[in-house]
Every structure is written in C-alpha cells, then in structure tokens.
Amino acid sequence: MAEVGRVVVSDPGSRMLPGGFWAAVAVWVEKPQVANKRLCGVRLEARRSVSLPQTGHTHPRPSAGPEPESLAEAGGCGPDLGPGPIRRSFDGGPGTGPSAGPEEGRQETQGRRQPEEEPGEAAAAAAAAATPQLSGTSGQPSKAAAREGDLPAANLGSLWDAFARSLAGENREVLAFLTRPGAGSPPEGRLELDLVLRTVIPKTNPNCPLRGPRREMVVQDVLNGAVTFLPLEEDDEGNGKVKMSNVYQIQLSHSEGEWFISVLIFCPERWHSDGTVYPKPTWLGEELLAKLARWCVESRQSGFKSTLSLISIMKYSKAYQALKEKYKDMVKVWPEVTDPEKFVYEDVAIAAYLLILWEEERTERGETARQSFVDLGCGNGLLVHILSNEGHPGRGIDVRRRKIWDMYGPQTRLEESAITPNDETLFPDVDWLIGNHSDELTPWIPVIAARSSYDCRFFVLPCCFFDFVGKFQRTQSSKTQYRGYLDFITEVGSACGFHVEEDCLRIPSTKRVCLIGKSRTYPPTREASVDEERTHYISSRRGRPKSPCSGGSAPPPPGAAPGPGALDARPGHATEADASQQGPRAPAEGPWLSGFHPREKAERLRNCAALPREFVDRVVLQVAHLLLGRRSPPGGSAQAWNRGGSLSLAEVAGELDRETLQRLKRECGGLQTLLRNSPQVFQVLNGRVRIRDWREERPQKQEEPEAKRRLSPDTFKTRICWFFAHHPDGCVLPADCCPFAHGPGELRPAPRTRKKKPAL
C-alpha cells in the first residue's frame, strides 16, 4: 500500500466536513468527467448495502423491507437520485451522507472548453447524495443499464459475495486495505458498507480504438471516511470478478484539529495506467486530490440537471466522435464572420444528442421510420444539414439567409421566411419542432408544436430571454435570470399539455440546458378543451411579462376551468362542443397574440460602424482633447511631442454629455467599440485609453500591433493623417515614414476590394 497524495482541507469549525467530503466523492463516483476530461461519463448500474464482519462473511443490512439496489426507479443517475438515507457521520456521531456539492466543472463550465464536455454554462450541479436511496429489485440491473445495451448486466450481489469469500482467504491484505487498520472497531464487530456498480465510459478516440468501457465496484465506508475503487474483469467462464490491479482508495482523516484527504494505491507495482480510465498515480495524488479538496468545502448547489441525463452516454460519445470526424472540414470553409470552431462543434454536439434521443424514441415506440423535423430560426442551417444527411427528413426556416446556405447543396432544405405564430404557421405532418437559440420564437415553439398535431414534439435550447411579446422580465431575485427563464419555458410547455423534461448538453456554451416535450399530459379527445386553456394562459401574459415564480398564480393544469376575465388571444377559437359540430377549425387570420414582431430581415449593424461620420469624428476629437489635457511628463527632446495621459473608459464616459452616451449605449460595446474603431488615434487596453504613439510601431514584423498590421501596401497614404490635421504638435512621424497622408497632395485612391468566394 502506498500513499500517492495527501492534502490539508481548511474547514474552520468543521462546518462542511465530513458531509462535504462525501459530496466531493459523489462527483468523482457519478461524474468523473468533471475532473478527468478524457472520460465521457459513467453509467451507474446498481447499488446495495452490506455488512462486513471481522470474519470476512457478509450479511445483508437489517432493514424494514427489501434492500434497494436498482437505479431504475430513481430516474437516472447522479444528482437526480434524491437524498441519501441517514448514516453515521465520520466522527461516529449521527449525521447524513453528503447533501450538496460543487457545480459540475465549476471553472471548466464557463467560456471555451472541449465541445463534448461543454461543455458551458450556468453549469449543472454535480453533487447530491453519495448514498442515494434507490429502489428496485436486489441484484438486478437498472433501466439505465438496460437502455445502454452495450455491456451485459452484472449481478452486484453475486459479485460481492464472491469477493467477500476471497477476503477470508487469499485476499486478507485487501480486507485490511478496506477496513483501514487503526480506524477503530465498528459497532458489534460489523462494518457497514455501501456498494455501487458503475461503468466508466471513456471518450471515443479514433487513435485508440481499443479503449473501451471499464466496470468498477465502488465500496463506500461512511463510518470510517473511506471509498475504495475495485476494477472488475471477466474470468474464463465470462463471470465478473474483482482484479487486484488498479485498486485505490480515497480517505478522509482528522488529526490534531485538521482534516486531511489522502489517495492510496493498494499495490503500486501492479498499477497499470491506460491514460484514460486509470491515469498515472501522480495525477490521482495531485490533480484529483486538489479538486476533491476544493469541492469538499464548496456548499453551492446548482439548480440544473445532470449532463446527458436523458440519453445513453456511451451511444452519444460514439455518435459525437463520428459526426465530428465527418464534418470537421466545415471549420476550414466557414464563410460567416462567427467563430467556426464554436458553431461547428456546437451543432455537431446538438445533432449527436438529437440522433440518439430519436433513436431511443423509435425503440420505445417500436417504429423504424426516422423522425421528421422543422428547425425554426435555423440560423446558419448546419444543424439542419447534419440531421438531413443522417437520414432525417426536415427543413430549416430563418428570417435571414446566410452565406453558408449555398454550400450545403439541394438536399438541405432551408427557407428564408419570417415566422409569426398563427394558424398558418403550423406543421401537422412534422414529428419534431426544434428551437436552437431561436430567440423570440422560443416560448412559442411549445405552443406551435401543441397546436400542429397531438403527435408533434419539441426540443428547445433557450439562449436570449424573450416572452411571448417582448423581453422576458425577471421579478424574483432568488434565482438567476437564466434559471428563471428556463422555468418559464417549462411552464409554457406544461401549460400546453406536455410532460417537459430538462437536460444539459455538452456544447461550448454557457447556456446549454435544453427542454424537451415528448409526450402529453392529456388524451387526444381533450384537445379542444386543453387548447382553450393554452389560449387563456398566453393571454394572461399579455402586457405583464413576469417570471413564473414572481408571486403570480401558476397556470392551471390542463383540464382545470379557466379563471374569470381571461382574454381570448386566438381569433376564431371554438369550444369543444362547437369543434365537434364544426369539424376541423378553419385557419384564423392574424397572430395568436398581438404585439409579436419577428426579427428584421436585415440585421442592423451595432458595432458603431453605422454611426454618422460627423458624430464619430466629434467624439474622437473630444476624447483626444481630454487625453492631451493630461500632458505627459516633461523629458528630453524625444518627449517634446505631447502624447497626453491615460484615462479609464469610465473617466472618459464621465466627461461626455448624456445624449452622446445614450447614443453609444445602443451600440454593442458602446464607447470602447467606437474608440477601438479608431486605431490610428487610440490604444485601448485593459479598460484604459491613450493616444497612440506611432514611433513605437515596428513595421514589417510579425509582432506588430494590430493597427499596424491592418495597413497593407495597398492602403498606404489612402487616408488623411489624423495627427497632421488635429494634433497641436502635428504628426510625430516625418511625412515619408507616416502611412497616412500629410495633406491632400499625398492622397492616393483607395483600392477596390474583391470578395472571394469560399472554396467548397
């Protein structure tokens, strides 16, 4: 046995420990991909509790009923399993298992990350009970395990029984490793343990095709603060058994008023690192230990679901890798101004998720035909292109055509059209409606899906916060605006009669929570009455947008009588009795709710480029005078030219009039963008602005400042030098060295720019 790492955990007054330790362990057991980026995730298959007497025989723990094991009825794995049963705390007193823990990937979830682990976000919660109460039949695999269909289900009870028998014989050293000599004798000479059977799933890597899922039995000793990881292998007869290599343990100890976390390896000479599931011991003792120590004392609990909780992680990993390899060349020919890597890999990840979701749906329904779809607000259309190429009939609709549409070919159906929610924008023959960052259409997509047909489903990935009309307004501060908006869209789906499910995607975005409506809460015969309730719910939000938890009344469940005074926002709407007499309802004219406006077809520039030239020149001159007023310190002849001083953007803004500031506020980036658009005059760095000194520019160097690199030989002397025209000391450079014209006599005609078509 060897200790590969030990770290002190600072917890004054023991406010977080030992409970925080088990919260951190829960992250490593249930979401190891948070720490080990080479993993895709885990599949928790079964759980049971056992007691280990000093003799090495096992007995079931006494309980009022059968010991739960399967994860099937727990609704998935990880944080969604619910609170754990009462356990004795590490110090021997009454306590609970872990109940809260760090956010998944805390620092990793914000900003750019690997597309698969995004992957961004408010992040999903990674901690919950480390000993969750599970239900099911003892010794049987869970539904989650059966859904995977990639590995045979194992009987946890028989695995442990065989291993426990070996502890009394040839594996007595392992027994000592499990029971932590010196930790104290358990009550009644019997050690209570919690077992978890999990499959660790590495990310698919075409360079290492032999790396496959690995099974482990996790043994948690709550009383003594230790968790041991036992790898499993198949014997000659195909039965699972514990192998004695790559066995390690994470311990919590308390000594002289300080808490310690340690990582120990049972047999270092038998440790075989594969670089993925089993990293090097130094990684366990440094990287993993540091994360566990930090998570132990973090009590923040997230309100988001576990990542990829609704689909098979193993299937997703394979599908994502295949799509990434297939469409990676899109990054090289991306004609849009947006970041190609972010948008390509994000849409690849969303497509992989939908393909697995739809594959599992076909299995559940016993169908073979691939689902059809319409992507509302499809943007660049790449998601439509991928789904269509993978065999799903569908099309995308967006108010504005993109350059990249011409690259896809005729098999990808993309339409340039504005969508206004009304009875003429329904899709009765479509299986799924998709809203991928669909902005003002996001709250309407569940409504359109519900009214298109009883079998129509929806998938939305909310980003910008819109209500049915205008911006979504958050009125409760106890939740973030993002969480409040997700709750609002969930409320809309529920009001439309959907069972709404939530999941977190692995995409390079901080807004990666999707909402899915796959089934209805009512039978088809009640469609007319439920639609009446939808109408009243939509009308209730007219003119008073609010968050669903703002103190107002929640929408009545489908089937409840609408409240008095509800407005009818849907012209031509008929009651259930009228509908049965009139037959199919004739399309109504006009929108379902007045005041809705789709995005403008022409995207207005908001980067200060469209501001009037005289306005920009006036602001530039005003800011320059402010800076020159703070004259640089006196010096030699080299300092004779006045460069002025440096001001923060806030200080500059404080000197501008209110009308100018209001005009700049309507532009993206405001004052900072305007000043950066004038690189000939200003340098803007770290929130401060100063006059540019062109003597510091080094021409014909790769390390040249951005402003200098922009000046190609074709643009030499094509613009008047601002310093020659406005600086009190003139230009700091001689006329033959300045890239700008010193007077009209030096001006050259500007070259014509030719747009190059992207190569296919």
Side-chain angles (χ1 to χ4, degrees):
M1 179 177 70
E3 183 178 86
V4 296
R6 170 184 284 250
V7 65
V8 178
V9 181
S10 177
D11 183 28
S14 296
R15 293 180 298 105
M16 302 300 299
L17 296 172
F21 169 75
W22 289 107
V25 167
V27 180
W28 181 240
V29 171
E30 301 165 358
K31 302 171 181 289
Q33 72 275 11
V34 174
N36 185 351
K37 296 301 181 182
R38 296 183 179 182
L39 298 180
C40 185
V42 298
R43 185 181 73 218
L44 298 185
E45 298 184 13
R47 149 173 231 109
R48 73 178 300 165
S49 297
V50 297
S51 58
L52 182 64
Q54 306 253 341
T55 59
H57 297 293
T58 58
H59 301 281
R61 175 178 297 170
S63 62
E67 187 67 42
E69 177 178 4
S70 172
L71 302 180
E73 304 302 326
C77 63
D80 309 320
L81 296 178
I86 299 297
R87 294 284 188 269
R88 293 176 64 84
S89 64
F90 173 73
D91 57 7
T96 62
S99 58
E103 289 182 301
E104 179 179 346
R106 193 164 296 276
Q107 81 275 17
E108 294 93 336
T109 55
Q110 302 298 328
R112 290 298 302 275
R113 296 161 305 194
Q114 300 179 52
E116 294 184 52
E117 182 51 44
E118 314 332 11
E121 97 337 253
T131 54
Q133 184 69 37
L134 305 172
S135 59
T137 305
S138 178
Q140 297 301 318
S142 66
K143 288 180 181 177
R147 181 184 64 187
E148 299 283 353
D150 295 300
L151 292 175
N155 188 309
L156 180 56
S158 61
L159 279 171
W160 174 256
D161 289 341
F163 176 65
R165 286 192 296 269
S166 72
L167 295 178
E170 69 272 17
N171 289 328
R172 289 184 179 272
E173 293 181 354
V174 181
L175 176 60
F177 187 70
L178 285 172
T179 55
R180 293 189 62 193
S185 299
E188 303 177 357
R190 179 174 295 175
L191 185 63
E192 294 185 343
L193 304 173
D194 290 313
L195 308 180
V196 175
L197 179 65
R198 71 172 187 169
T199 297
V200 183
I201 306 170
K203 287 182 178 178
T204 303
N205 189 335
N207 299 323
C208 301
L210 298 181
R211 288 190 312 188
R214 304 289 182 88
R215 270 205 167 117
E216 288 182 336
M217 183 163 54
V218 183
V219 183
Q220 301 182 71
D221 180 0
V222 180
L223 176 65
N224 292 317
V227 55
T228 307
F229 297 82
L230 303 172
L232 302 178
E233 63 180 351
E234 290 187 355
D235 58 20
D236 296 337
E237 299 178 357
N239 299 318
K241 67 174 184 178
V242 176
K243 65 177 183 178
M244 291 299 103
S245 62
N246 293 5
V247 175
Y248 68 100
Q249 184 180 89
I250 303 172
Q251 291 183 0
L252 174 69
S253 57
H254 190 259
S255 176
E256 299 180 355
E258 287 188 314
W259 292 96
F260 300 88
I261 301 180
S262 308
V263 175
L264 299 93
I265 292 180
F266 171 64
C267 190
E269 60 271 16
R270 300 173 70 176
W271 183 272
H272 304 293
S273 174
D274 62 4
T276 305
V277 177
Y278 299 109
K280 294 181 179 180
T282 53
W283 187 91
L284 293 175
E286 296 175 4
E287 297 292 331
L288 176 61
L289 199 55
K291 286 181 169 61
L292 291 172
R294 187 178 74 251
W295 295 341
C296 280
V297 292
E298 291 179 341
S299 60
R300 183 177 177 182
Q301 199 166 11
S302 172
F304 298 98
K305 290 285 187 178
S306 172
T307 304
L308 305 180
S309 62
L310 300 181
I311 63 171
S312 161
I313 297 178
M314 193 178 303
K315 292 179 181 178
Y316 170 85
S317 179
K318 294 178 181 178
Y320 175 81
Q321 189 60 46
L323 294 179
K324 182 180 178 182
E325 186 69 19
K326 186 174 182 179
Y327 297 99
K328 65 181 181 181
D329 289 339
M330 293 295 300
V331 175
K332 303 176 183 178
V333 296
W334 192 256
E336 306 292 337
V337 296
T338 51
D339 181 2
E341 288 193 359
K342 178 187 185 300
F343 283 89
V344 170
Y345 294 133
E346 179 172 324
D347 284 353
V348 164
I350 296 172
Y353 184 92
L354 287 172
L355 290 174
I356 301 304
L357 181 73
W358 292 347
E359 176 186 334
E360 295 181 350
E361 183 188 55
R362 293 196 301 273
T363 302
E364 294 172 2
R365 291 174 168 236
E367 300 174 352
T368 57
R370 295 181 182 264
Q371 295 89 333
S372 58
F373 70 93
V374 172
D375 187 349
L376 300 178
C378 64
N380 58 53
L382 181 56
L383 180 60
V384 178
H385 178 64
I386 296 174
L387 294 177
S388 299
N389 279 357
E390 300 306 312
H392 287 271
R395 57 192 170 114
I397 305 174
D398 199 278
V399 69
R400 182 167 52 87
R401 185 180 185 85
R402 306 299 201 275
K403 300 175 184 176
I404 197 172
W405 286 15
D406 296 328
M407 299 173 57
Y408 294 138
Q411 75 281 1
T412 302
R413 298 174 56 196
L414 298 170
E415 302 174 10
E416 184 180 16
S417 176
I419 296 290
T420 300
N422 57 40
D423 285 11
E424 295 182 353
T425 53
L426 298 178
F427 307 92
D429 299 326
V430 172
D431 296 318
W432 282 81
L433 295 186
I434 299 173
N436 175 18
H437 295 202
S438 45
D439 294 345
E440 74 279 357
L441 286 176
T442 299
W444 286 104
I445 287 178
V447 183
I448 297 174
R451 288 176 169 172
S452 290
S453 72
Y454 184 80
D455 289 329
C456 189
R457 289 86 77 190
F458 74 85
F459 168 95
V460 293
L461 184 62
C463 180
C464 300
F465 308 138
F466 284 88
D467 208 310
F468 289 113
V469 174
K471 289 285 189 178
F472 171 79
Q473 301 295 326
R474 177 174 65 102
T475 59
Q476 189 187 42
S477 59
S478 61
K479 295 181 180 180
T480 65
Q481 187 174 24
Y482 183 44
R483 179 69 265 177
Y485 189 66
L486 292 172
D487 290 345
F488 163 59
I489 301 301
T490 300
E491 183 184 82
V492 173
S494 299
C496 291
F498 285 99
H499 290 291
V500 182
E501 298 177 279
E502 179 179 308
D503 204 355
C504 283
L505 306 183
R506 287 185 180 169
I507 56 177
S509 173
T510 55
K511 295 186 174 63
R512 58 193 189 97
V513 178
C514 68
L515 300 171
I516 300 170
K518 290 175 58 178
S519 60
R520 304 293 177 99
T521 59
Y522 61 92
T525 55
R526 293 198 53 248
E527 178 60 42
S529 61
V530 172
D531 195 56
E532 183 78 24
E533 294 160 19
R534 294 185 197 118
T535 299
H536 288 296
Y537 173 73
I538 297 170
S539 301
S540 71
R541 299 195 63 84
R542 189 207 309 256
R544 51 184 185 94
K546 61 182 181 179
S547 66
C549 301
S550 59
S553 59
L567 299 174
D568 187 359
R570 192 175 179 196
H573 188 75
T575 64
E576 192 166 8
D578 295 338
S580 63
Q581 296 175 1
Q582 298 174 5
R585 176 175 43 83
E589 297 180 358
W592 288 333
L593 189 63
S594 59
F596 174 85
H597 298 288
R599 280 174 290 174
E600 298 177 357
K601 181 176 181 179
E603 188 176 25
R604 188 174 72 88
L605 291 176
R606 297 180 58 198
N607 61 353
C608 297
L611 290 174
R613 186 72 252 174
E614 59 272 15
F615 173 81
V616 174
D617 290 343
R618 177 172 60 82
V619 174
V620 168
L621 195 60
Q622 186 176 354
V623 174
H625 285 163
L626 288 173
L627 297 173
L628 292 174
R630 298 199 170 194
R631 189 175 182 87
S632 55
S637 58
Q639 297 290 336
W641 187 78
N642 180 20
R643 183 178 183 175
S646 170
L647 291 173
S648 68
L649 291 171
E651 291 173 323
V652 174
E655 298 293 331
L656 301 179
D657 61 85
R658 184 175 181 180
E659 182 181 352
T660 299
L661 291 176
Q662 288 293 332
R663 194 167 190 176
L664 290 173
K665 192 175 181 180
R666 292 192 289 268
E667 303 293 317
C668 293
L671 175 64
Q672 180 173 243
T673 299
L674 185 143
L675 297 178
R676 283 182 169 171
N677 287 353
S678 302
Q680 180 192 167
V681 185
F682 302 111
Q683 284 181 323
V684 183
L685 185 64
N686 298 328
R688 300 191 67 84
V689 58
R690 64 183 306 171
I691 296 290
R692 181 178 296 278
D693 188 344
W694 283 87
R695 292 172 297 185
E696 299 175 356
E697 308 300 326
R698 292 175 295 178
Q700 299 179 357
K701 294 259 187 177
Q702 185 63 29
E703 299 81 17
E704 288 174 351
E706 181 181 358
K708 184 67 178 177
R709 290 200 305 267
R710 292 176 181 171
L711 300 174
S712 66
D714 292 338
T715 61
F716 193 76
K717 300 290 186 182
T718 58
R719 284 182 291 170
I720 290 291
C721 175
W722 184 91
F723 296 98
F724 176 81
H726 300 287
H727 195 284
D729 296 335
C731 180
V732 70
L733 297 178
D736 58 339
C737 296
C738 182
F740 301 97
H742 285 199
E746 292 187 2
L747 275 177
R748 298 173 55 235
R752 294 183 179 181
T753 58
R754 296 181 181 179
K755 294 184 179 180
K756 296 182 179 180
K757 295 184 178 180
L760 297 178

